[in-house]
Amino acid sequence: MSQPSGREASSAVSHPTRPTRFRWVVAAMIFLIYTIAAADRANIGVALPFIRKEFTMSNTEAGALLSLFLFAYALAQLPSGFATSRFGVRRIFTGAMILTSLFTGLIGTTSSILGLKIYRFALGLAEGPLPVGIASTINNWFPPHEKGTASGIFLSAVKFGPVIVPPVCAAIIALWGWREIFIFFAVPGLVFSVLWYLLVTNHPAQSARVSQQELDYITGAAAVDQAAARAAKVGKPAPAWLDKFVRARKLAPLTDSKSVFRSWNVLGCALGYCFQLGISNVLLAWIPTYLLSVKKFSVMNMGFVAAAPWVGAVIGNLLGGMVSDRLLAKRRKPGMMLSALATAGMMYALINSPADPVSYGALLFLTGVLLSFGFSAYMAYPMGVADKKTFPIASSVVNMGGQIGGAIAPLATGMLLDHYGWDYVFSFMAVGSLISFVVLLTIAEPVDDTTVAP
């Protein structure tokens, strides 16, 4: 999203004189509201075994049901990017969150497979604008050296939703049934959509809760020696060998939508994210079924073990964002590439996994940490190649690539299960992760002059 015009920025907004850190309140709002959104999409994975008892379907049909949300979500990314770029985050984001809650609740009222499909597809369309809006908010509300950390907070929310979903859903099913899951999860989003609209403006310059000191800090206009400030924030430059390996260079920012769609850096990042998010969505959608049908865990054991990879993912996202910002001088590719290689190894480990709930939970926890270590970098990477105006479009391209992979992978998993077995599923994910690593080798690492080793 572009910087606010002079009229917008100066339209009687009175900034407090005392120092503020309101951007971290915004970060907390991002975490809470996307935890809710992530829970709205994840709850069907726990409900699926019970839905299949009421509506008979094959593994392929079940995979198609899971993928409907993701295909709609992917389709919504580009229109959401253009809409956010033109109208701003505030209105688009609030409306999308209200619709997300509405369609979540409607899933619990359906009486047919067709109704399930329609509401899941509508949920994907409704939720589509949310990640673009949050990425744009991070780009506008945080200085460059905090964007990786803020992205890690956002993506940890994506994974924290699935942490709370399995045990909460297991309890709801035990007390009532699978339908009540969706009605229960619809309520918080309505509350937080109102809070977002009231608290989070499109740009900090438009917020009466942001002091002039904080605004200057965010925009880089503080009346201090900028070179010294950047050096203090960035720390030591990245090692020369690392910059050579990741192909670090200063890039001219992409200034129009045509240049975004022609940029291999953007498209390559999207393709790498495609394979990685596909793996994440397979674990999200199919692990509860795997634990019940293959490992023969009880419903309560399934609830706690299925949460393990997402506890690890929360840690992985936060750790990856902080390492990228503070230890690697805003280098994004190392985290993405390390994550891709390590995930391939973890998929092989899952083929020969233990049946004990504690041991299997520990293995899934480590898988979540390694898989998610590079995820915040996928969100931060477009910030280094696009300007403020084209960033929502670049971000939507990357996210659309990820969501296409996220949509295809659960469906492919259902087809593999109908014809082969779980070993083929884990092998399929390992190969995809290795392909992601190779693709990431081909894109450049965007840097500014202050972070390049002399």
Side-chain angles (χ1 to χ4, degrees), residues 53-309:
K53 290 180 180 179
E54 185 169 335
F55 305 110
T56 303
M57 62 184 82
S58 67
N59 287 317
T60 300
E61 291 170 329
L65 175 63
L66 296 169
S67 291
L68 271 173
F69 165 89
L70 298 162
F71 278 120
Y73 192 70
L75 286 173
Q77 294 308 301
L78 278 180
S80 299
F82 281 103
T84 299
S85 181
R86 181 171 181 180
F87 300 110
V89 174
R90 197 179 193 184
R91 288 179 292 174
I92 301 293
F93 188 92
T94 302
M97 195 64 201
I98 291 171
L99 290 174
T100 294
S101 297
L102 173 65
F103 288 116
T104 297
L106 287 173
I107 291 172
T109 68
T110 188
S111 58
S112 66
I113 294 179
L114 178 60
L116 278 173
K117 292 178 178 178
I118 291 173
Y119 292 143
R120 280 294 289 178
F121 189 83
L123 179 64
L125 291 177
E127 197 171 317
L130 299 187
V132 176
I134 286 179
S136 297
T137 299
I138 291 171
N139 198 35
N140 286 334
W141 274 83
F142 291 86
H145 64 283
E146 291 178 353
K147 289 178 180 178
T149 301
S151 297
I153 291 172
F154 161 44
L155 288 169
S156 68
V158 177
K159 302 308 190 298
F160 188 68
V163 169
I164 63 175
V165 160
V168 171
C169 288
I172 292 173
I173 290 169
L175 291 172
W176 297 291
W178 69 265
R179 294 179 182 278
E180 283 74 13
I181 288 173
F182 300 97
I183 296 170
F184 178 88
F185 278 94
V187 176
L190 296 174
V191 176
F192 276 91
S193 62
V194 175
L195 290 176
W196 179 276
Y197 187 82
L198 293 176
L199 293 176
V200 185
T201 57
N202 290 330
H203 192 277
Q206 301 164 331
S207 175
R209 297 174 177 86
V210 176
S211 67
Q212 188 63 48
Q213 182 185 36
E214 183 179 16
L215 179 61
D216 290 345
Y217 179 80
I218 292 170
T219 61
V224 297
D225 180 58
Q226 294 297 308
R230 284 195 298 266
K233 295 166 190 172
V234 170
K236 294 182 179 180
W241 65 266
L242 179 63
D243 274 354
K244 183 176 181 180
F245 180 69
V246 299
R247 303 177 67 235
R249 63 194 66 180
K250 185 172 177 61
L251 302 175
L254 305 172
T255 57
D256 56 64
S257 57
K258 184 181 294 186
S259 65
V260 170
F261 291 116
R262 290 179 175 177
S263 169
W264 172 247
N265 291 324
V266 173
L267 298 178
C269 182
L271 186 57
Y273 195 35
C274 172
F275 289 104
Q276 293 301 98
L277 195 57
I279 295 170
S280 180
N281 283 353
V282 169
L283 296 178
L284 182 66
W286 281 104
I287 280 296
T289 297
Y290 176 74
L291 297 177
L292 290 173
S293 62
V294 177
K295 297 299 184 182
K296 305 299 181 183
F297 290 173
S298 68
V299 173
M300 292 308 296
N301 277 341
M302 175 276 294
F304 287 104
V305 175

Side-chain angles (χ1 to χ4, degrees), residues 148-149 151-152 316-326 332 373 376-377:
T149 301
S151 297
N317 277 315
L318 291 172
L319 186 62
M322 289 188 290
V323 168
S324 177
D325 276 346
R326 300 181 184 182
R332 311 305 182 189
F373 185 82
S376 61

Side-chain angles (χ1 to χ4, degrees), residues 237-248 327-328 331 333-335 337-338 441 445 451-454:
W241 65 266
L242 179 63
D243 274 354
K244 183 176 181 180
F245 180 69
V246 299
R247 303 177 67 235
L327 300 182
L328 296 177
R331 302 299 186 266
K333 279 181 59 177
M337 296 170 72
L338 174 63
L441 284 172
E445 176 75 63
T451 65
V452 179

